[in-house]
Amino acid sequence: MKLIIITPQSNSCFDQVDKVIIPGSKGNFTVLRGHAPLVSTLRKGVIQCNQQEIAVEGGVVAVQKDTVTVFIEQ
């Protein structure tokens, strides 16, 4: 699964992630390969993937066809 993180300063892409834990506005949720498409707002928290953590202040996430795109404020 591909994870794309877009910030006002830069873009990052992780091509091989098994799962992504997202701080959704209603609580954390996990995205795995084959997850149903969705769009959600983010709250302040941490995105976790491949044993990395990315702090976020808020933003939006979109999941489509094994691609997770996150637009964040850092």
Side-chain angles (χ1 to χ4, degrees):
M1 178 170 59
K2 179 186 262 185
L3 171 63
I4 301 167
I5 298 178
I6 300 172
T7 71
Q9 295 81 22
S10 66
N11 297 341
S12 300
C13 183
F14 302 88
D15 283 328
Q16 299 297 325
V17 296
D18 297 322
K19 71 178 181 178
V20 182
I21 301 172
I22 305 283
S25 58
K26 302 281 184 177
N28 288 356
F29 62 92
T30 301
V31 177
L32 301 171
R33 186 175 309 281
H35 196 286
L38 70 82
V39 174
S40 176
T41 55
L42 304 178
R43 63 176 164 74
K44 184 176 181 177
V46 176
I47 295 173
Q48 299 173 19
C49 69
N50 290 355
Q51 300 183 22
Q52 292 186 325
E53 294 186 342
I54 301 157
V56 297
E57 293 295 321
V60 177
V61 61
V63 178
Q64 297 178 345
K65 295 184 182 178
D66 289 332
T67 300
V68 179
T69 306
V70 184
F71 302 90
I72 61 173
E73 305 165 20
Q74 278 188 317

